[in-house]
Amino acid sequence: MKHLILGNGPAGVVAAETIRKTDPTCSITLVGAEPEPPYSRMAIPYLLEENIDESGTYLRKTEGHFEKLGIELKVGRATGVDPSTKTVQFEDGSTETYDKLLIATGARPILPPIPGGDLPNVHTCWTLDDARHIAALTQKQGAHVVQLGAGFIGCIIMEALSLRGTDLTVVELGDRMVPRMMTTEAGGMIKDWVQKKGINVVTSTKIERIDLTEADTPEPTEEKSFLKSVIEKLTGHEDTPEPAAASVDADEDELTVTLSSGEKIACHAVIISAGVRPNVEFLEGTSIDITDGIHTDDRMETSVPDIFAAGDVVAAPDLFTGKPFFSAIQPNAVDEARAAALNMAGRDARMHGVLPINVLDTLGLISGSFGQSEGVEGGESVELSDPERHRYISLQFDGDVLIGATSIGLTQHVGVIRGLIQGRVALGKWKDVLMKEPLRLSEAYLACAQQPGALAG
């Protein structure tokens, strides 16, 4: 049995190890599109903060780890899949066959069509190569940086850039920070916290264009013009061309960012963090549903037999609705990978639905978004806010079941919120208690979650 895994991020690595543990004799090939060893993108901010070196981003630190497990590593970028022959084609012209295929190709940054977005000092922060360029551009204390995007990933990058000592301006199209994760008040609260930490945040604004800053060329003085005319007459070269300008080193030249407000900002670098999209283009022409990510069943199998998918490339069934949901967070990726791997190896494993969970540390302020944080039609909600202390909580109910929550500065409730939502616990009279006193979550959990069958969902 040959297992082929496309993608060597956390999902691919966990899947390969799970298959090997389940089947000690099968063939496993793990393919990554980058030349580096398998690494975690989530560790890149720590690299920029200089808390770790590049080896600290590697998913497995022991030398020879994959070789000892009999997992073959291959560098390649898939360009096509032929399910009829069970063959994958790669960019370099090579091919690989498979008996079972796992697609864990992840996602990539969205690049808005901004004029000047292809200049050398404009980068995403997604790969180790990106990190090397950003580190070089911001090695000077106080380097001016403009970052586009204040979403979940953007806030993580923002913190790393701030800790590098950059002079940072963050531009966000939404009306608040982390708009897909936070309510209006919560996102505004995070913005207030960040600005008090010395970061300039501009919301409801976009970048119109990025230009190389033109160096000012001094006008020739009258004395220099006279001397030039004398030299031309003496040499007989009145049409002597000006010396060719020295080649521009883009790494040394500042950029000018023009905002939709008309404001112009001079900077050394622009970092783009405008969201991600799944890497599914190489599957076009197959019968796999790739709408908003690869659609799978609860076994993480696609509509094509023997082809599975896991991680940021997947739109897996949502915990509550059962509809395909693109979550792109590591805990879900790992859970999906384990389920897919067990099924590939002949076991029976099921995902009981993806639960959106995002917990974010923004310069010491912990915020979280869980489940259906915007609520559902016909549901009830309660909100408690303390802006001066940067404390906030919002609870969303469907009947007497907690289905979503948003919190800031209340870390003691994170585990309880997840347990209540994921367990779909019937709160009964405790729902009415929480509507009046939303901070009594721990009491509600202890009272309801331990009832027989409470966590059966």
Side-chain angles (χ1 to χ4, degrees), residues 26 38 54 60 79 115 148 157 199 210 224 336 348 412 442:
C26 68
E54 285 197 11
R60 300 295 178 259
T79 57
L148 174 61
I157 297 168
I199 297 173
I210 306 167
K224 286 183 178 179
E336 292 164 359
D348 184 23
Q412 70 271 30
S442 294

Side-chain angles (χ1 to χ4, degrees), residues 9 62 80 108 115 177 204 283 310 334 344 368 373 393 440:
T62 305
R108 67 182 184 281
M177 293 190 70
S204 301
L283 296 172
V334 170
M344 291 168 70
S373 57
I393 192 166
R440 294 182 66 181

Side-chain angles (χ1 to χ4, degrees), residues 293-375:
I294 299 173
H295 291 202
T296 68
D297 59 18
D298 60 358
R299 300 177 65 251
M300 302 313 298
E301 190 169 20
T302 71
S303 56
V304 176
D306 297 330
I307 299 182
F308 296 76
D312 293 356
V313 74
V314 166
D318 177 82
L319 176 66
F320 287 98
T321 67
K323 296 179 180 178
F325 179 80
F326 177 61
S327 62
I329 59 173
Q330 189 164 311
N332 283 336
V334 170
D335 289 343
E336 292 164 359
R338 288 197 182 99
L342 289 171
N343 287 307
M344 291 168 70
R347 302 288 182 86
D348 184 23
R350 308 279 171 165
M351 281 286 294
H352 296 293
V354 170
L355 176 65
I357 299 176
N358 291 292
V359 178
L360 181 64
D361 182 351
T362 308
L363 296 168
L365 182 65
I366 309 298
S367 58
S369 175
F370 310 84
Q372 296 174 291
S373 57
E374 296 181 357

Side-chain angles (χ1 to χ4, degrees), residues 14 27 31 35 38 70 93 108 125 142 148 200 301 310 331 333 344 364 400 455:
V14 167
S27 169
V31 185
R108 67 182 184 281
C125 186
L148 174 61
N200 181 35
E301 190 169 20
M344 291 168 70
D400 68 345
L455 298 177

